[in-house]
Amino acid sequence: MTLIILAVCALVSLIVGIAMEGWPAGAHDGLGIVASILLVVFVTATSDYRQSLQFRDLDKEKKKISIQVTRNGYRQKMSIYDLLPGDIVHLSIGDQVPADGLFVSGFCVSIDESSLTGESEPVMISAENPFLLSGTKVQDGSCKMMITTVGMKTQWGKLMATLSEGGDDETPLQVKLNGVATFIGKIGLVFAVVTFAVLVQGLFSRKLGEGTHWSWSGDDALEMLEFFAIAVTIVVVAVPEGLPLAVTLSLAFAMKKMMNDKALVRHLAACETMGSATCICSDKTGTLTTNHMTVVKSCICMNVKDVDRQSDASSFCSEIPDSTVKLLLQSIFNNSGGEVVINKEGKLEILGSPTDAALLEFGLFLGGDFQGERQAPKLIKVEPFNSTKKRMGVVLELPGGGLRAHTKGASEIILAACDKVIDSNGEVVPLDEASIDHLKATINQFASEALRTLCLAYMELENGFSPNDPIPLSGYTCIGIVGIKDPVRPGVKESVAICRSAGITVRMVTGDNINTAKAIARECGILTDEGIAIEGPDFREKSEEELVKLIPKIQVMARSSPLDKHTLVKHLRTTFGEVVAVTGDGTNDAPALHEADIGLAMGIAGTEVAKESADVIILDDNFSTIVTVAKWGRSVYINIQKFVQFQLTVNVVALIVNFSSACLTGNAPLTAVQLLWVNMIMDTLGALALATEPPTDELMKRVPVGRGGNFISNVMWRNILGQSLYQFLVIWYLQVEGKAIFQLNGPDSDLILNTIIFNSFVFCQVLLKVLFVNFVSSTYVINEW
């Protein structure tokens, strides 16, 4: 809008100037305006081009997904960009298939091909149907696949080649700025019309007094054109030419700095939207916690003990019979989807899911030998962990003969499948009422301490067991229960406290059980005495009226489904008018990420679907980084507000000076070129100073702007008008004094007087800009400026 107004003014100024003074003298103002337009376009285009290059690099960074690959005999993590045909890729539940390939081996593999075919029905993969396609998702089971095709020649690549990403919409801040520019433009137009009317009325009055109002000459027409040129200058003076440049600089700078702070911005609107956030619905695992599971407590042979990694393993095993330790190590190392490998540096490395990795680490702590335990028995059958069954099982053929089944999973489910237990003497005894109560109390105690509990059990099988038979669901002997903890990330409690002081409500939405969720929420400072914790099944049974009363009090939602999270976010946005930020890492989080005002996906643990649905990718999966994003969002908003106040002061003073001078003397002392010089050169330096000011901790002590905040507040208007009045009075004083000092009466008096006015104007601008920037900005910005 700003450039369109300037382009029209340039055209009119060229026509009027050439008509009045001829070429080239009459074209100076018009060409000056054209030059300013070209300057803005060039700077903005250059910035946009650099920004597009940055986006291209960030997009490549965003798509760098690591995956476990066996190549040259080593199992290692590798970027999908480095995959080659012939590589063996290890896939498990939730993974995206990185390339086209063939099934090699695996168990109970079902693939969600809806991203390619649109069909929601999963496809079973086996030796009979071995084809895996890039872009599909592993819905269940685990397998190894051999890569056959990579890159744009895959089915997914061919699909993506037909698509093109849409452009970014205008950000809410840009919409507000367009409104400001339009409003100022309208004011300038009104002043221009009034100025033209006053000047024309003066001409009519003079001719009426002379009695020549019925006779018009070419000189009168040229004088009318001069009045029109003055009116055009008034419009040019009113337009805030520096706004587009300031917005571009601020957003580009913020995006670059946010990348350094481990936040990859995918959509421009996210830079400022997060600054207006009033609520954050955060995932637990990997965001509030470290996503590194560790066994910290155990109940083996009915004895509860803390697992202290600082102490020696022999002291831990001293009260456990050797036979039970051997049985426990056999269960841990064989009934697992993870592996212990030796990396290229020759060090042990644990690969697998967080839960499997925690158990394997526990097994190594007990002195177990992974490769030895894996090679001793023969693996007959594997049933991978399934979210519905909440258990995993294997059947082993023992070296001395006989078959043994091991199972592990949710404690209450596995315990219900047991009818025997190993006592403190290492003997298998029936599971009586007292033992069941003891184990259940232990499970509840672990859960209340924010521990995830797993139960390990085994049973001896008859020799007639066939690999085609299902693993039994009952008749097991309980080996023990372990408590696994995902520790809260350092700094999370402080970050939640910062959010609370900034007026941002943090809610935890997780699939964990409610006891674990409440314990972690209390540790983080999310759950307070005024808030409530609720489970997903209870939440979805509430009526609309009940939800309106309930949702403002909800601080923890446990055992939540994707629909529960989506419903919560939708109500917060629509019913309560909140600006909602949502964090997530799974495919099931995509609906809520899409529904939120700003979606934040985890860069490490996040699936591709979650990342594609998000506006910002948190590269380190840390909640503290989310607070940093909010701080940068507020900084962008405040910086642009500062520049608008900075810019409008110039325009208001110039408008008053030219309007009053034109109405009183018939001449505008400040030309369009002079004002464009002030706006485009001096104000660009101000924009660089103000638009690139980094965020401060003070920003998080204010309430969020929210949806309906006014961009230019009453305080800002008072500052603008107060500074403008002061500058106007100083300029007017210097003008009068200058006229008296230099006794301007000659033919060049107007030129000298206008030069004095312009220099006075520039002097006031420089003086007040330095004072203004010094007032609103930090020492860092002053040095940069």
Side-chain angles (χ1 to χ4, degrees):
M1 181 62 68
T2 303
L3 296 181
I4 290 172
I5 295 173
L6 286 176
V8 173
C9 291
L11 179 62
V12 173
S13 182
L14 278 172
I15 295 172
V16 173
I18 293 173
M20 290 176 59
E21 302 179 41
W23 178 269
H28 290 163
D29 280 1
L31 291 178
I33 299 174
V34 171
S36 72
I37 294 172
L38 293 176
L39 177 63
V40 172
V41 171
F42 177 76
V43 172
T44 305
T46 303
S47 177
D48 287 345
Y49 177 67
R50 289 167 61 89
Q51 190 174 336
S52 70
L53 293 180
Q54 183 184 18
F55 265 123
R56 193 182 306 166
D57 294 338
L58 296 186
D59 196 54
K60 287 181 180 179
E61 187 71 26
K62 167 176 69 73
K63 293 179 179 177
K64 285 185 180 178
I65 311 159
S66 294
I67 198 160
Q68 295 184 24
V69 178
T70 297
R71 181 189 290 180
N72 298 330
Y74 287 101
R75 182 168 173 174
Q76 54 195 295
K77 285 187 177 181
M78 187 179 295
S79 168
I80 60 170
Y81 281 125
D82 297 329
L83 292 178
L84 296 172
D87 285 340
I88 302 298
V89 175
H90 301 256
L91 299 173
S92 57
I93 294 177
D95 286 345
Q96 177 172 305
V97 180
D100 290 354
L102 295 172
F103 174 86
V104 176
S105 63
F107 303 91
C108 307
V109 182
S110 65
I111 300 291
D112 177 12
E113 295 187 350
S114 58
S115 57
L116 285 179
T117 64
E119 298 293 333
S120 58
E121 195 68 27
V123 177
M124 299 303 297
I125 300 297
S126 61
E128 291 74 29
N129 181 30
F131 303 104
L132 293 113
L133 301 178
S134 173
T136 59
K137 308 290 185 303
V138 180
Q139 197 173 70
D140 199 1
S142 61
C143 70
K144 297 178 183 178
M145 66 168 281
M146 184 179 72
I147 301 287
T148 57
T149 311
V150 297
M152 297 304 290
K153 293 187 178 181
T154 63
Q155 290 298 312
W156 182 259
K158 292 175 183 176
L159 173 65
M160 296 306 291
T162 63
L163 305 176
S164 59
E165 290 192 18
D168 294 305
D169 296 330
E170 281 189 328
T171 68
L173 180 59
Q174 287 172 326
V175 172
K176 290 181 179 180
L177 288 175
N178 279 342
V180 171
T182 304
F183 174 70
I184 297 298
K186 289 178 180 177
I187 290 178
L189 187 60
V190 170
F191 272 84
V193 171
V194 172
T195 303
F196 185 73
V198 169
L199 293 175
V200 171
Q201 187 270 340
L203 176 62
F204 267 98
S205 298
R206 190 179 73 246
K207 290 183 70 65
L208 189 62
E210 295 171 353
T212 59
H213 58 283
W214 293 114
S215 62
W216 292 81
S217 64
D219 291 338
D220 295 330
L222 286 176
E223 193 170 355
M224 292 280 284
L225 277 176
E226 187 177 350
F227 295 161
F228 188 72
I230 292 172
V232 172
T233 302
I234 294 289
V235 176
V236 174
V237 164
V239 175
E241 296 87 356
L243 281 181
L245 190 59
V247 174
T248 303
L249 288 171
S250 188
L251 291 177
F253 178 80
M255 291 181 66
K256 184 178 179 181
K257 291 298 182 181
M258 287 166 73
M259 180 66 180
N260 294 338
D261 288 337
K262 304 298 182 183
L264 191 159
V265 179
R266 297 187 66 241
H267 301 135
L268 278 173
C271 288
E272 71 215 32
T273 307
M274 190 61 192
S276 304
T278 58
C279 170
I280 299 175
C281 294
S282 176
D283 195 16
K284 178 181 74 68
T285 305
T287 307
L288 298 172
T289 59
T290 61
N291 198 27
H292 179 76
M293 293 291 191
T294 305
V295 176
V296 294
K297 280 197 172 185
S298 67
C299 177
I300 300 170
C301 298
M302 303 296 287
N303 293 323
V304 178
K305 294 190 69 174
D306 291 332
V307 181
D308 184 6
R309 299 304 167 91
Q310 306 301 323
S311 64
D312 188 58
S314 58
S315 62
F316 179 86
C317 297
S318 59
E319 300 177 14
I320 305 175
D322 292 341
S323 59
T324 305
V325 173
K326 292 179 181 178
L327 196 61
L328 179 62
L329 291 175
Q330 187 182 74
S331 175
I332 289 173
F333 288 134
N334 287 283
N335 188 21
S336 175
E339 287 188 44
V340 179
V341 299
I342 299 176
N343 59 25
K344 291 181 178 179
E345 288 77 30
K347 298 179 181 179
L348 286 178
E349 184 177 0
I350 300 175
L351 301 175
S353 69
T355 303
D356 280 333
L359 282 173
L360 291 174
E361 192 176 17
F362 181 52
L364 294 176
F365 166 73
L366 296 177
D369 176 13
F370 177 81
Q371 296 298 336
E373 291 289 347
R374 274 289 178 97
Q375 293 169 4
K378 180 181 178 182
L379 191 64
I380 300 296
K381 185 178 179 67
V382 174
E383 287 185 0
F385 179 82
N386 182 284
S387 57
T388 303
K389 297 181 294 184
K390 295 183 179 178
R391 64 193 296 170
M392 175 185 182
V394 295
V395 175
L396 306 176
E397 183 179 336
L398 303 178
L403 299 176
R404 181 177 292 162
H406 284 280
T407 188
K408 72 176 181 187
S411 298
E412 56 274 14
I413 292 176
I414 301 300
L415 187 59
C418 295
D419 55 16
K420 295 179 286 295
V421 67
I422 301 177
D423 65 9
S424 57
N425 298 319
E427 298 178 358
V428 176
V429 297
L431 194 58
D432 57 19
E433 193 76 23
S435 299
I436 292 176
D437 291 342
H438 173 71
L439 292 174
K440 285 184 177 180
T442 302
I443 293 171
N444 291 332
Q445 178 194 342
F446 285 4
S448 67
E449 297 175 12
L451 304 184
R452 179 177 295 178
T453 62
L454 285 178
C455 185
L456 290 79
Y458 80 100
M459 71 180 298
E460 307 294 346
L461 296 176
E462 301 293 333
N463 288 330
F465 178 84
S466 167
N468 295 323
D469 296 336
I471 298 178
L473 298 177
S474 59
Y476 286 89
T477 300
C478 178
I479 302 172
I481 297 166
V482 293
I484 302 174
K485 185 173 184 178
D486 186 4
V488 173
R489 284 183 180 272
V492 166
K493 188 173 183 178
E494 292 78 7
S495 298
V496 171
I498 291 172
C499 287
R500 196 178 299 280
S501 66
I504 303 173
T505 303
V506 181
R507 294 177 169 89
M508 177 198 289
V509 185
T510 179
D512 261 357
N513 70 67
I514 194 164
N515 290 329
T516 304
K518 286 166 69 175
I520 292 290
R522 284 197 183 95
E523 190 175 348
C524 296
I526 293 174
L527 184 58
T528 62
D529 295 337
E530 297 79 23
I532 63 171
I534 191 172
E535 289 188 319
D538 296 333
F539 175 80
R540 67 183 78 118
E541 289 177 359
K542 303 294 182 182
S543 64
E544 291 293 324
E545 294 77 14
E546 291 174 318
L547 287 177
V548 170
K549 297 178 182 178
L550 181 68
I551 286 177
K553 301 177 183 177
I554 293 178
Q555 292 178 341
V556 175
M557 184 186 289
R559 293 294 187 196
S560 64
S561 69
L563 185 59
D564 297 332
K565 194 170 185 178
H566 181 270
T567 303
L568 176 64
V569 172
K570 187 174 182 180
H571 273 288
L572 286 169
R573 289 186 67 247
T574 57
T575 307
F576 299 95
E578 302 257 14
V579 178
V580 183
V582 169
T583 72
D585 54 9
T587 302
N588 57 341
D589 293 320
L593 289 169
H594 184 72
E595 175 67 27
D597 292 285
I598 176 169
L600 303 115
M602 300 300 107
I604 300 172
T607 62
E608 273 305 287
V609 175
K611 293 176 186 177
E612 290 297 330
S613 302
D615 303 295
V616 176
I617 297 175
I618 306 300
L619 299 178
D620 59 357
D621 289 15
N622 198 335
F623 185 83
S624 300
T625 304
I626 298 172
V627 177
T628 303
V629 174
K631 192 184 296 183
W632 269 109
R634 293 188 174 195
S635 178
V636 168
Y637 194 90
I638 294 294
N639 287 349
I640 298 298
Q641 275 188 318
K642 289 175 183 176
F643 177 76
V644 168
Q645 180 175 339
F646 184 90
Q647 172 87 72
L648 290 186
T649 304
V650 180
N651 291 71
V652 171
V653 175
L655 189 63
I656 295 173
V657 169
N658 267 20
F659 174 73
S660 58
S661 296
C663 292
L664 295 175
T665 67
N667 184 31
L670 298 172
T671 67
V673 173
Q674 289 173 333
L675 265 298
L676 287 168
W677 173 266
V678 170
N679 281 336
M680 300 310 303
I681 305 302
M682 292 176 60
D683 286 354
T684 299
L685 299 177
L688 287 170
L690 295 174
T692 58
E693 183 177 2
T696 63
D697 293 336
E698 293 298 318
L699 291 174
M700 298 305 287
K701 296 179 181 178
R702 308 178 183 182
V703 295
V705 176
R707 293 192 183 278
N710 292 325
F711 183 71
I712 302 181
S713 65
N714 294 332
V715 175
M716 285 180 65
W717 276 123
R718 283 200 288 270
N719 288 338
I720 290 168
L721 296 177
Q723 291 177 39
S724 302
L725 179 61
Y726 174 73
Q727 289 189 45
F728 176 71
L729 292 175
V730 172
I731 291 169
W732 194 261
Y733 173 77
L734 291 174
Q735 178 187 7
V736 174
E737 288 298 310
K739 189 171 184 179
I741 291 170
F742 293 102
Q743 296 181 354
L744 303 174
N745 294 310
D748 296 328
S749 61
D750 284 345
L751 176 61
I752 297 173
L753 182 61
N754 289 347
T755 302
I756 292 174
I757 293 173
F758 179 68
N759 289 334
S760 304
F761 180 78
V762 172
F763 167 75
C764 287
Q765 291 302 316
V766 171
L767 175 64
L768 287 178
K769 284 179 195 302
V770 170
L771 294 175
F772 179 77
V773 175
N774 208 10
F775 175 71
V776 298
S777 305
S778 63
T779 306
Y780 162 83
V781 179
I782 294 296
N783 292 336
E784 291 291 312
W785 193 51

